[in-house]
Amino acid sequence: MRIPELAINPIGHRIVEAFFTHNGKDVDTINFRQFVRTLAIFRPPGKNEEEQVTNSKDAKLKFAFSIYDIENSGTISTDDLLHILKMMIGSNMTEEELKAIAERTLTETDKQENGSISYEDFEKTLSLINADQIMNVKFLD
């Protein structure tokens, strides 16, 4: 990975992979327009403009959800959570500790009690954060 900020991020390759999903399917390449559309998700909302679909809170949360949904199944499973935890924490915790964290997260977040975290569960859990404000990248002044 040639972008230093992503290279040092433990889930950097998941962020890059999220760029290579088009219409819910993994693709090998994207064009410039698709790349810019994905970047536009992180554009801060304008002061006087109505919320845009591209950079709405929902769009930002869907992008974040896609990073956790390793299997692209539309839900986040215990295995997905465990995979992300291993990337983020590495060998600083035992496998059993990581499994316990993943299982507890699933138990607390799975509002539908179906054994996985749906986008709706994810959205409800993160409803208190101001995602449309904190998930921004300022590209130009």
Side-chain angles (χ1 to χ4, degrees):
M1 205 175 301
R2 295 182 185 192
I3 303 171
E5 292 79 3
L6 285 174
I8 62 171
N9 186 321
I11 60 170
H13 85 277
R14 285 295 304 150
I15 295 169
V16 171
E17 286 175 6
F19 274 80
F20 289 89
T21 302
H22 186 63
N23 293 330
K25 297 183 180 186
D26 290 337
V27 294
D28 293 329
T29 60
I30 59 172
N31 61 35
F32 184 71
R33 175 177 275 178
Q34 293 164 325
F35 175 74
V36 171
R37 276 197 185 132
T38 303
L39 281 182
I41 294 169
F42 301 100
R43 185 175 59 94
K47 293 177 181 154
N48 294 322
E49 80 185 65
E50 292 182 26
E51 185 172 69
Q52 300 292 316
V53 174
T54 303
N55 64 332
S56 67
K57 180 178 182 175
D58 187 56
K60 290 172 182 0
L61 290 178
K62 283 181 179 174
F63 186 87
F65 183 85
S66 73
I67 291 173
Y68 287 91
D69 181 13
I70 303 285
E71 300 161 354
N72 293 326
S73 63
T75 62
I76 301 170
S77 67
T78 304
D79 289 340
D80 290 337
L81 288 171
L82 190 56
H83 189 83
I84 291 291
L85 285 169
K86 286 178 182 176
M87 282 191 253
M88 294 174 68
I89 297 171
S91 61
N92 294 325
M93 296 181 90
T94 67
E95 181 83 15
E96 293 77 30
E97 290 171 319
L98 293 174
K99 281 183 184 177
I101 292 169
E103 288 170 0
R104 182 171 178 171
T105 301
L106 187 75
T107 300
E108 291 179 6
T109 309
D110 179 15
K111 307 294 185 206
Q112 299 170 11
E113 298 180 358
N114 59 3
S116 64
I117 301 169
S118 67
Y119 175 72
E120 291 76 23
D121 295 334
F122 187 80
E123 183 181 34
K124 284 178 189 171
T125 301
L126 296 176
S127 65
L128 299 177
I129 70 163
N130 199 359
D132 53 335
Q133 295 296 321
I134 64 172
M135 291 180 69
N136 291 325
V137 176
K138 193 170 186 179
F139 297 102
L140 299 172
D141 284 331

